[in-house]
Structure formats: structure tokens, C-alpha cells
Amino acid sequence: MDLQYPLELVGTFVFAISGALAVRDLEHDVFGAGFTGFITAIGGGSLRDMLLGSYPLVWIGDVYFLYAIFAGVFIAFIFPKMMLKLRRTMFLFDTLGIGFFTILGVEKALSLGVRPEIAAIMGMFSAVMGGVFRDTLTNEIPILFRKEIYASACLAGAILYLILNYFGLERDYNMLISISVIISIRLIAVKYKLSLPRLD
Amino acid sequence: MDLQYPLELVGTFVFAISGALAVRDLEHDVFGAGFTGFITAIGGGSLRDMLLGSYPLVWIGDVYFLYAIFAGVFIAFIFPKMMLKLRRTMFLFDTLGIGFFTILGVEKALSLGVRPEIAAIMGMFSAVMGGVFRDTLTNEIPILFRKEIYASACLAGAILYLILNYFGLERDYNMLISISVIISIRLIAVKYKLSLPRLD
Amino acid sequence: MDLQYPLELVGTFVFAISGALAVRDLEHDVFGAGFTGFITAIGGGSLRDMLLGSYPLVWIGDVYFLYAIFAGVFIAFIFPKMMLKLRRTMFLFDTLGIGFFTILGVEKALSLGVRPEIAAIMGMFSAVMGGVFRDTLTNEIPILFRKEIYASACLAGAILYLILNYFGLERDYNMLISISVIISIRLIAVKYKLSLPRLD
């Protein structure tokens, strides 16, 4: 799939924009916003690779990821109002991003020889932990503890990918289906304000 | 000591239950609770191994740890009220857990060839950092900054183990003594509300 | 430069003092203060080395760093009032520390073969992430999101070092200039309450 690499860069770019804009309300300066964009974009994949002992980390070994982040932060700097008006668009990009990064994370973990159970967790971590680090740094309640379904959609899609993979479905179809399922769950959950049951 | 491996699994199971229940008051959904249970159970050992560069991480190399966590989270899900009534029991289990994980962490660090000073810190990290990550994620004051003696009991037990080890005490006795000391310090500190002096 | 190693130890010592004292207002006990001093002193360098996969971590491979931390925490314990009266002195030490650690971090990253863009980030991480971990653990707004220029001074100095290095400036002069620039930016920013522009 020749689209994978450019899509990864686009996903990194979008995560950097959303991370940089996430802190606007806190009145951070441009450096703080850039730093947050950076952590959001690289956090999930870096944690995955550090847990798996896979070096060099993606953004350290391939400088184009860094450029994608710089570009995203730069866009957030010079067009903050436009980006915020595009909140709906950004939400869509973020949703595409978590779908895509989940499945790429699963595949990377599998390629390093771990069991499917571990690969599912690594896929979810790739997609959501950058946002969790962002929220922890800015003293927000981490996104995965908020109401609407988020990380659980990623985990569900990761498990689906692994099941379809086990039954031999061809990779490109499997990616398409699993990513679509993550995106659909997330969109439906946000539209209809669906959340998982609580413990009580 | 053939009991070591099953005890490690039991400790992981108990940490997962206590982590999942820790967030109940925050009204997290089942996914958030499961995630918190997971982080609590694997956080300390994972940090220890990542600091020491020891790969694969325990729960990535041995899937039974993951199953122990799933079982703990599942129990917390289906019997939350019973588990909370068992708060006293859970506290005892947590106390057993930190005693046990401290000494196992010390031994693992020593086996990787680090100096005793480092091994003591690694032992304490193994026991308490999962809880610290849990508290950071849920925006709580980390457990090691609260009043009653907690991490310092682990550090004291770790140092004791290293001293007795230096003087050649046989391992099984040493484990038994050092773990008992950690547990005793913790139980006495909570019962009599003992805390360390403050800086002033 | 024979001064490098002793200066690193002194920097670690100073970071440990400032970390231990940082939590006084939160009424932590001596253990909590010591823990915070420890995290402040080792956090930045440890993150840098874990991101780069460079093992053993400095303080794990060389026990004198641990002793420098113990000494710093000990000083903070027995002379807390004197240390707080020395707040101005401590601020100066901290400022020297971030200047020095930034450039050492850049050099270490370069020596591991990464690109200059990565080295600049690693230099900044070395200097500021210990403080960020400290602030996250103690539920403070991380220092790099506060008003006065801090991490951005480190990043500026790191980039300057890399540029001068590219043009072949001799290392000792380069270190001296780059560290001085970091220190000057920080001192001027605090004195005149300068901050970077915000996004709006």
C-alpha cells in the first residue's frame, strides 16, 4: 500500500495541529502550544516503541515526521482562528487519525513478533496515548476518561483487525474494514452521545 | 521458591482490581476503569524494566500477566460492590503486593548487574510507580505524597534486603523478613496514622 | 574539557535541591521531598536516553550521580530555611544548570548519531523535562507552560550550538557562547518579565 507512508505523515501533521490548538484556552504562549502539539503527535508511537524496545523511534529515525509536526504547529500558529473554525474538520481528521494509527500500531507490534493481545493494546496506545500525555501535561482529565467512546473504539478496531487477520483476510481489505469500524464507532458515539456503561 | 511465579500473578491480579476500583468515584466508564487497572498493574514493573533497558517487558513476554490483569478488571466490573465492601481485604492485598513486588524488583535489578543503591530504587519503583501513574492519570495527588508511610516502607524493606543479602543471609529467609518488614511498617503506619516528618 | 564531569555532578546536585524544595508548600514529608528532588534531577537525562535507546542511563551506570542527588536532598532537608533564603542563589544555579544540561544533552545526542534537529530537542528535554515530571507529579502547571521564557531559551541555545558547530567553531568556545546565551535569555526574561506571544 503505497499510501501508508504519506498517510502516516498526514496523520502526524493533523495530530500536531490539534495538539497545538488544544491548549489555546489555557493561554499558553507559542512555545507551549508547539510543545503540546509535538507531544500529541509523537507520544503514542513513542510509548509503543519504548514499551516494545523498538529503536530508533520513528520520528528520531525519519526526520520527515519532525517536519510534519513543525508544519502542523506552524499552521496552528499562523491560522489559529481558521483552524478553530475548522473544528469540525479537525475532529474528522482526528477521527481518521486514530483509526489509521491504531491499525498501523497493531501491524508494527505484530511485525516485532508479539502476541495478538499485546498488539491490540499497542495499537490503541499508538492512537490515544499522545492525547493522554497532552492532557496530563495541561492538567486536563485525560481524553480516555471522558464521556464519549474514544479509546475503546480503537481497541475494538484493533481486535477486529486481528480476528480478520487470523482468518486470512487480505491486508488491504482488513485495514479498510477495521479503520472504517473505528471511525464509525467514534462518529456514531459522538453524534448520539453514546458512552459505555459505568461501574455501579 | 516455586511460589514466586504464582505470587507474581496474584499480585498483578490484585493491583488490577485496586486500580480499576480506584477510579469509581470519578464516574469513569468500564473502559476507563479497565485502563486504570491495567496501568496500575503494569506501570511499576514496566518503568523499572525500561529504565534498566531490560526487554521484553514482563507482561509483553508472558501473556499470563495480561490474563491476570483481565481477570482482575473483570472481577472489579462484575462485583464492584462486593470488592468495595472488601476494601479492608483489598488494602491487605495491596499491602502484601507492595511488599512482594519491592523485593522481586530488587532481585530483578540485581540480576541485571546494577549496584545495590540502584536496585533499592528499582524495588521501590516496581511497587509504587503503577499507583503513581494511576494517580497522575486521574488527577489525584500521587499516593506517595499522601500522609501515611507508603513508598518509604518499600524503600526501607529494599535496603534491609540488600543489607541482609550482603551479609549472606539465605534468599528465602531474607525475602520473608524483608517483605514482612515492609508489610509491618505499612500496617502500623496506617493503623496509628504515622507519617514521616515534614520539612520545616 | 576536564570540567565537564564535575560540572554535571554539580548540576545534578543543584537540580536535586531545587526539586526537593519545590514541594515544600504542599506539605510533603521528607520522603516526598526527596523523591521529587530525585525525579527533578534524573528526569530529563533519563527521558533523553530512553528516547534514544542509550543504555545504561547515566545515573544507573555511574553511582556518583546518585550520591550527588542524595547530597542535594540531604542539604535541602537539614537547611531548608537557609536554602529558601538562598532562593535567588538557587534560581541562579537552576539557570546555570539548564544552560549546561541543554548543551551536554545536544552533544550526547549528536554522539549517538542523530540528526541536528533531533539533537536540539534532546538538549532541551535534558534540561527541562525533569522539572516537567516534578510539576506533573505535584499537580502543578508544568514550568514550560508558565509565563517567563524557560524551555524556549534552552531550545534557542541548542540551535545556536548546532549552527556554530556546523560552521566549525571550536567546541569549548561554542559551549561557552551557547550556554551564555541560554543563561542570558533566561535572566533577561525573568528580570523584565518577558514572555513569548500567545496564539490569538
Side-chain angles (χ1 to χ4, degrees), chain B residues 33-52:
Chain B
F35 190 88
T36 315
F38 178 73
I39 296 292
T40 307
I42 61 126
S46 297
L47 179 66
R48 176 199 61 210
D49 290 346
M50 289 166 77
L51 289 172
L52 294 171

Side-chain angles (χ1 to χ4, degrees), chain B residues 7-199:
Chain B
L7 281 176
E8 261 188 278
L9 289 174
V10 171
T12 303
F13 170 77
V14 172
F15 270 19
I17 297 178
S18 76
L21 293 176
V23 295
R24 274 197 84 232
D25 304 330
L26 291 178
E27 313 202 336
H28 290 162
D29 62 26
V30 291
F31 179 83
F35 190 88
T36 315
F38 178 73
I39 296 292
T40 307
I42 61 126
S46 297
L47 179 66
R48 176 199 61 210
D49 290 346
M50 289 166 77
L51 289 172
L52 294 171
S54 166
Y55 288 99
L57 304 187
V58 174
W59 59 279
I60 290 179
D62 179 351
V63 80
Y64 287 104
F65 284 90
L66 215 52
Y67 294 160
I69 294 169
F70 291 158
V73 167
F74 188 70
I75 296 282
F77 280 0
I78 54 173
F79 304 121
K81 272 169 198 155
M82 192 196 297
M83 288 294 118
L84 285 173
K85 273 187 204 145
L86 292 174
R87 203 181 269 274
R88 206 181 173 78
T89 316
M90 291 300 298
F91 164 73
L92 286 176
F93 271 119
D94 182 78
T95 303
L96 293 174
I98 60 169
F100 188 69
F101 278 124
T102 298
I103 303 307
L104 282 186
V106 170
E107 292 189 332
K108 171 139 194 194
L110 286 179
S111 78
L112 291 166
V114 301
R115 291 177 59 101
E117 295 92 334
I118 302 293
I121 292 171
M122 292 300 156
M124 177 187 65
F125 273 14
S126 308
V128 307
M129 290 304 284
V132 170
F133 292 143
R134 175 197 63 209
D135 296 335
T136 303
L137 279 179
T138 55
N139 288 355
E140 297 280 323
I141 300 288
I143 188 165
L144 52 83
F145 294 132
R146 287 181 219 152
K147 288 224 167 104
E148 283 88 9
I149 287 169
Y150 186 77
S152 37
C154 298
L155 191 59
I159 292 170
L160 177 66
Y161 179 90
L162 289 159
I163 291 172
L164 295 180
N165 185 49
Y166 178 81
F167 286 112
L169 185 66
E170 203 258 313
R171 176 183 178 254
D172 284 4
Y173 291 113
N174 194 351
M175 277 193 84
L176 205 64
I177 293 172
S178 303
I179 293 175
S180 304
V181 164
I182 295 172
I183 293 171
S184 307
I185 294 177
R186 172 73 176 150
L187 291 180
I188 292 169
V190 169
K191 186 164 174 59
Y192 297 102
K193 303 205 155 86
L194 301 181
S195 50
L196 291 174
R198 303 210 315 254
L199 296 186

Side-chain angles (χ1 to χ4, degrees), chain A residues 43-44 56 98 103 107 111 122 135 176 187 193 199:
Chain A
I98 60 169
I103 302 307
E107 292 189 332
S111 78
M122 292 300 156
D135 296 335
L176 204 65
L187 291 180
K193 303 204 155 91
L199 296 186

Side-chain angles (χ1 to χ4, degrees), chain C residues 2-4 10 33 37 50-51 60 71 80 89 100 105 115 139 141 154-155 162 169 178 181 188 190 194-195:
Chain C
D2 296 300
L3 278 173
Q4 179 175 326
V10 171
M50 290 166 77
L51 289 172
I60 289 179
T89 315
F100 187 70
R115 291 177 58 102
N139 289 355
I141 299 287
C154 299
L155 191 59
L162 289 159
L169 186 66
S178 303
V181 165
I188 292 169
V190 170
L194 301 181
S195 50

Side-chain angles (χ1 to χ4, degrees), chain C residues 74-87:
Chain C
F74 188 70
I75 296 283
F77 280 178
I78 54 174
F79 304 122
K81 272 169 198 153
M82 192 195 299
M83 288 295 118
L84 284 173
K85 272 186 207 147
L86 293 173
R87 205 180 269 274

Side-chain angles (χ1 to χ4, degrees), chain A residues 30-108:
Chain A
V30 291
F31 179 84
F35 189 89
T36 315
F38 178 72
I39 296 291
T40 308
I42 61 126
S46 297
L47 180 66
R48 175 199 62 211
D49 290 346
M50 290 166 76
L51 289 172
L52 293 171
S54 166
Y55 289 98
L57 304 187
V58 174
W59 59 278
I60 290 178
D62 179 351
V63 80
Y64 287 104
F65 284 89
L66 216 51
Y67 294 161
I69 294 169
F70 291 158
V73 167
F74 188 71
I75 295 282
F77 281 178
I78 54 175
F79 303 121
K81 273 171 197 152
M82 192 195 297
M83 287 296 117
L84 285 172
K85 272 186 205 146
L86 293 174
R87 205 180 269 273
R88 206 183 173 78
T89 316
M90 291 299 299
F91 164 73
L92 285 176
F93 272 118
D94 182 79
T95 303
L96 293 173
I98 60 169
F100 187 69
F101 278 124
T102 299
I103 302 307
L104 282 186
V106 169
E107 292 189 332
K108 171 138 194 196

Side-chain angles (χ1 to χ4, degrees), chain A residues 17 56 94 140:
Chain A
I17 298 178
D94 182 79
E140 296 279 323

